[in-house]
């Protein structure tokens, strides 16, 4: 049976990493960053347009919640299996193929012009989410494979998050303008084009990265090494998946963030479902004004992205998670009790700042803590947990609204978000002094050898 593939190595030798080196001078990361930026623009436009479109066609929070649930279903059901498969596959190739599949899925929304064709929107959401289930863990695993696990990894994640925050700030107003002007078709065409452009960039990156070497080729004299037959692959995937599950369950540094973030993201998903009804029913604003709230989140994300790197180094993952979860819950109360749209936008900024720090810290922590050969599996398990939280929150929010009414439901969910703090602090162990795992900069290794841990690949 073949062991999981080792991290993919670009065909250029490593160079010494220094914190002062501009991160975009790295050619592999530059392609990865450009791909995410372009596809992120189209995706954020759709984030604003799609819930508004579903609510416009149905007037139902439950229909909006079903859309969010369908977005999360593939990652929940097949995400861990996809992660186990990706640990044995060429990550960049899987990413550009997923981009093409996402473009085809979004194109299904184009003919969905009435409530009678709402099923096309649901089918498109399901297809795009299925492709994203492959893309996200592959991207998470590819970043440290390209950059190493040293200081440049944190810098790469911070820049990626900062770029996403700028998109979060700028794209929603653009989406609102497009909805008010050319309409939903313009948003869909831009999103499709962004996926196609992203696929081209990742395909270029794919040529820089050789395919994983099979175990039989790496260890030709090993008596157990053999070429996997098609009949053996399902059993191997099950074995790999169980190994990933056992590793996360037995590692408090992974199990703690998984549990605490699960509680927090459940509340976040429920409140996301109720965002459009809140804007329309409580603030008495047009539905597309939700784009202004998302822009407020983006402004907070820009600030949080800029300070997250130092916060994680200074405070450690346990304190960062606890503090940001507490701050987010308090900001939820401020948002959903705001009497006017400008005050709600200000509260959204307060949500985005710790929210950005939270997401960047978890991303970097998982990339550094998971073994390289398990990174796609562990990442997919985290995404599956996120998706479970999204499904529970999306389906539970309309039930709470029916039972309590919209104002009481919003405050009850905000209170539930506070539970993430004690869950995180009790399940994540306190830090203990340890040596810095990042080796000091040194000369580049020979081209036929992998660089030492912590150093970027070029």
């Amino acid at each position: 049976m073949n062991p999981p593939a080792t991290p993919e190595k670009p065909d250029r030798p490593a160079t010494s990493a220094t914190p002062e080196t501009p991160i975009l001078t790295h050619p592999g990361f530059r392609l990865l960053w450009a791909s995410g930026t372009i596809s992120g623009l189209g995706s954020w436009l759709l984030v604003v347009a799609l819930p508004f479109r579903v609510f416009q066609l149905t007037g139902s929070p439950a229909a909006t919640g079903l859309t969010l649930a369908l977005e999360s279903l593939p990652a929940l059901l097949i995400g861990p299996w996809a992660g186990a498969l990706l640990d044995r596959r060429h990550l960049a190739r899987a990413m550009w193929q997923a981009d093409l599949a996402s473009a085809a899925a979004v194109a299904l929304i184009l003919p969905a012009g009435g409530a009678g064709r709402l099923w096309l929107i649901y089918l498109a959401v399901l297809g795009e989410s299925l492709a994203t289930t492959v893309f996200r863990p592959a991207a998470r695993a590819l970043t440290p494979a390209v950059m190493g696990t040293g200081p440049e990894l944190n810098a790469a994640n911070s820049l990626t998050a900062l770029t996403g925050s700028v998109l979060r700030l700028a794209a929603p107003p653009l989406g609102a303008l497009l909805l008010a002007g050319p309409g939903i078709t313009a948003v869909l065409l831009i999103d499709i084009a962004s996926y196609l452009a992203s696929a081209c960039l990742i395909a270029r990156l794919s040529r820089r990265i050789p395919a994983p070497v099979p175990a039989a080729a790496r260890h030709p004299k090993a008596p157990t090494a053999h070429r996997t037959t098609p009949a053996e692959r399902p059993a191997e995937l099950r074995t790999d998946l169980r190994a990933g599950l056992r590793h996360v369950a037995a590692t408090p540094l992974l199990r703690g963030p998984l549990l605490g973030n699960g509680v927090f993201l459940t509340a976040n998903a429920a409140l996301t479902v109720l965002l459009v009804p809140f804007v329309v029913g409580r603030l008495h604003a047009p539905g597309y004004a939700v784009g202004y709230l998302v822009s407020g989140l983006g402004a907070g994300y820009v600030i949080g992205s800029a300070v997250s790197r130092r916060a994680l180094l200074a405070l450690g993952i346990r304190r960062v998670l606890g503090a940001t979860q507490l701050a987010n819950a308090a900001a939820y109360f401020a948002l959903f009790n705001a009497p006017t749209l400008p005050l709600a936008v200000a509260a959204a900024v307060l949500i985005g700042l710790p929210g950005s720090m939270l997401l960047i810290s978890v991303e970097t922590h998982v990339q550094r803590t998971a073994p390289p050969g398990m990174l796609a599996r562990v990442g997919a398990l985290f995404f599956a947990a996120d998706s479970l939280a999204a499904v529970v929150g999306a389906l539970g929010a309309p039930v709470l609204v029916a039972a309590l009414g919209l104002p009481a439901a919003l405050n009850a969910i905000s209170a539930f978000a506070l539970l993430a703090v004690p869950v995180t602090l009790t399940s994540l162990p306190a830090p203990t002094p340890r040596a810095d795992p990042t080796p000091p900069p040194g000369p580049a290794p020979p081209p036929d050898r992998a660089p030492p841990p912590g150093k970027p690949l070029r």
Side-chain angles (χ1 to χ4, degrees):
M1 181 176 67
N2 293 340
T6 56
E8 301 172 9
K9 297 184 282 294
D11 53 1
R12 298 180 60 182
T15 59
S16 299
T18 63
E20 295 79 13
T21 303
I23 200 69
L24 287 178
T25 60
H26 191 293
F29 177 73
R30 189 165 59 244
L31 289 170
L32 195 60
W33 171 82
S35 163
T37 301
I38 293 172
S39 66
L41 173 62
S43 296
W44 273 112
L45 292 176
L46 199 62
V47 162
V48 176
L50 199 56
F52 169 70
R53 182 60 171 168
V54 172
F55 192 73
Q56 183 185 51
L57 291 175
T58 65
S60 168
T64 308
L66 179 59
T67 303
L68 182 59
L70 288 175
E71 288 178 357
S72 306
L73 199 59
L76 176 61
L77 297 180
I78 68 168
W81 297 96
L85 186 63
L86 286 169
D87 276 328
R88 298 171 174 271
R89 295 295 182 264
H90 194 288
L91 297 176
R93 185 177 299 127
M95 288 170 65
W96 67 254
Q97 291 171 347
D99 270 333
L100 293 180
S102 292
V106 173
L108 291 176
I109 306 177
L110 288 170
R117 294 191 173 184
L118 191 63
W119 64 272
L120 276 176
I121 296 180
Y122 290 149
L123 181 61
V125 167
L126 195 61
E128 184 189 24
S129 300
L130 184 62
T132 302
T133 298
V134 174
F135 188 94
R136 289 181 65 191
R140 173 177 273 180
L142 187 60
T143 302
V146 170
M147 299 304 301
T149 56
E152 284 198 347
L153 176 62
N154 202 354
N157 286 337
S158 296
L159 178 61
T160 300
L162 178 61
T163 305
S165 302
V166 173
L167 292 175
R168 185 188 293 254
L169 177 64
L174 177 59
L177 289 174
L178 289 171
L179 285 174
I184 186 70
T185 300
V187 176
L188 295 174
L189 291 176
I190 292 174
D191 193 29
I192 292 169
S194 72
Y195 275 126
L196 295 177
S198 174
C200 292
L201 291 170
I202 294 297
R204 288 184 59 191
L205 177 61
S206 179
R207 291 197 294 269
R208 295 174 176 266
I209 303 175
V213 180
R218 292 197 304 268
H219 309 289
K221 297 182 180 180
T224 58
H226 67 278
R227 187 176 183 85
T228 305
T229 65
E232 293 174 317
R233 287 171 188 164
E236 285 194 354
L237 288 178
R238 287 193 295 270
T239 299
D240 289 349
L241 181 57
R242 285 195 295 267
L245 288 168
R246 285 195 298 266
H247 181 77
V248 172
T251 307
L253 287 174
L254 292 172
R255 186 177 65 243
L258 187 70
L259 295 175
N261 240 27
V263 174
F264 169 77
L265 291 174
T266 300
N268 185 76
L271 294 173
T272 300
V273 169
L274 300 179
L275 201 56
V276 174
F278 167 72
V279 168
V280 175
R282 292 293 306 281
L283 298 181
H284 307 291
Y288 60 76
V290 72
Y292 303 136
L293 295 183
V294 178
S295 290
L297 286 170
Y301 267 65
V302 170
I303 302 170
S305 301
V307 302
S308 63
R309 182 179 181 184
R310 292 184 179 180
L312 184 58
L313 292 174
L315 300 177
I317 186 65
R318 187 172 183 266
R319 291 189 183 121
V320 168
L321 291 188
T324 53
Q325 289 164 352
L326 178 62
N328 267 283
Y332 285 150
F333 281 110
L335 170 61
F336 293 108
N337 289 281
T340 64
L341 183 60
L343 289 176
V345 172
V349 175
L350 298 179
I351 294 174
L353 197 158
S356 175
M357 297 172 63
L358 175 73
L359 296 177
I360 295 171
S361 298
V362 171
E363 179 86 3
T364 304
H365 176 73
V366 170
Q367 289 170 334
R368 286 177 170 166
T369 305
M374 284 188 176
L375 187 50
R377 268 171 288 171
V378 172
L381 289 173
F382 268 76
F383 290 136
D386 295 353
S387 299
L388 176 60
V391 170
V392 172
L395 299 181
V399 175
L400 281 178
V401 171
L404 305 176
L406 182 61
L410 290 169
N411 282 290
I413 297 168
S414 300
F416 177 77
L418 284 170
L419 294 178
V421 180
V423 170
T424 294
L425 295 181
T426 54
S427 59
L428 188 61
T432 55
R434 62 183 179 87
D436 184 1
T438 303
D448 59 342
R449 295 178 55 195
K455 301 195 72 174
L457 291 156
R458 285 190 181 267

